Amino acid sequence: SLIGTYVENEEIYSPTKILTFMKWPLKYWLNFEIGLGKISNFILSEMNCKGEENYEKDGISMSVRPDKNEISHMAFGSLLHKLFELNPDKDKIDSILEKLVPLYMSSVLMDDEKLKSLKIQAKEIYLNFIESEFWKSIEKEKNFKTEFEVYVKEKDFFLHGIIDRVVFKEDKAIIIDFK
C-alpha cells in the first residue's frame, strides 16, 4: 500500500496521510515519501498551475497538488494551530505572531498589508477562543496531556493520530483538536 509506515509488517495510517494522498498525490509524495515536510508547500506554490492534473476516483475529486488558495488556507491553519499549541498570554500574542506569521506564511507570497491583516485575524480567532466558556473550563483542568500520540490496532493495521490536548476526568476523556 502507498499509505502508511510499516511496523512489524502492519501499517500505520494517519488521517493526514490518507487525506493528503487522496487529494494531492504529489504533495503526499513530497511530504511522506521523500520527507520534505513544510517545504513542499513552497515547492508546490512555485509550480506552474497550468496543466494541473484533476481527476475523479470513486466520486472523490482529486488533483495533483493544492492550488495557491488552498496552500494559503493550509498555512494559516498551521499558523493558528501553532498559536493554540503555544497558548500565549494575551500580552504576548502580538510578539508571538510577529515570529509565526513570516514563518508559516513564507510559502505564500503576500504583501505586507495582507500579512498584517492575517496577524489581526489570527489574534481575533485566538482571543475569541481563549475567552470562551468552553476554554476557560478546560484550562481549569489539571490532568491533561498535549500532543498525545494514539495508536489503535484494528485487524491488520494501526490507526495513528496525535491529539492536540486531551483532558482526563474521572470517567471520561475530553479530546481537543485545534483545527
Side-chain angles (χ1 to χ4, degrees):
S1 172
L2 293 172
I3 301 172
T5 305
Y6 282 93
V7 175
E8 298 179 18
N9 296 327
E10 295 176 334
E11 291 194 49
I12 298 174
Y13 296 86
S14 74
T16 301
K17 280 186 174 183
I18 294 168
L19 289 173
T20 303
F21 179 77
M22 289 174 63
K23 242 182 139 173
W24 311 295
L26 179 58
K27 182 173 174 63
Y28 175 89
W29 181 74
L30 290 170
N31 280 349
F32 302 111
E33 294 298 322
I34 62 175
L36 290 181
K38 289 181 184 175
I39 198 168
S40 69
N41 283 342
F42 177 76
I43 292 167
L44 294 170
S45 71
E46 293 300 307
M47 292 174 67
N48 187 345
C49 290
K50 290 182 175 55
E52 180 176 317
E53 183 182 346
N54 289 305
Y55 57 96
E56 190 167 307
K57 181 177 179 185
D58 298 329
I60 299 170
S61 177
M62 295 185 267
S63 63
V64 169
R65 65 179 188 80
D67 66 24
K68 288 187 179 190
N69 285 334
E70 285 180 291
I71 291 171
S72 174
H73 295 305
M74 290 185 303
F76 188 66
S78 295
L79 163 81
L80 284 173
H81 191 278
K82 187 64 175 178
L83 184 62
F84 282 100
E85 185 182 313
L86 293 171
N87 194 21
D89 293 330
K90 289 180 186 181
D91 61 334
K92 303 256 190 291
I93 297 169
D94 290 323
S95 64
I96 298 282
L97 284 172
E98 285 298 319
K99 294 173 186 162
L100 291 181
V101 168
L103 181 67
Y104 282 87
M105 301 310 290
S106 64
S107 65
V108 184
L109 300 176
M110 294 184 175
D111 61 32
D112 289 341
E113 276 304 306
K114 182 67 176 166
L115 290 175
K116 183 179 177 183
S117 172
L118 286 175
K119 287 177 196 171
I120 292 167
Q121 271 185 286
K123 182 177 181 178
E124 185 177 306
I125 290 168
Y126 179 74
L127 286 173
N128 284 339
F129 183 73
I130 66 168
E131 292 171 357
S132 71
E133 292 304 315
F134 169 75
W135 186 247
K136 288 177 185 174
S137 69
I138 293 299
E139 279 286 297
K140 291 178 187 173
E141 300 295 334
K142 302 295 180 214
N143 188 12
F144 69 90
K145 295 208 184 278
T146 57
E147 299 299 306
F148 187 70
E149 201 162 7
V150 177
Y151 291 91
V152 177
K153 184 172 184 284
E154 180 63 33
K155 298 183 183 172
D156 292 338
F157 60 91
F158 286 93
L159 297 176
H160 169 254
I162 298 175
I163 299 171
D164 294 330
R165 185 178 184 120
V166 60
V167 176
F168 300 99
K169 295 191 131 203
E170 303 82 40
D171 59 343
K172 65 182 173 182
I174 301 169
I175 297 171
I176 299 158
D177 186 356
F178 293 134
K179 277 192 182 174

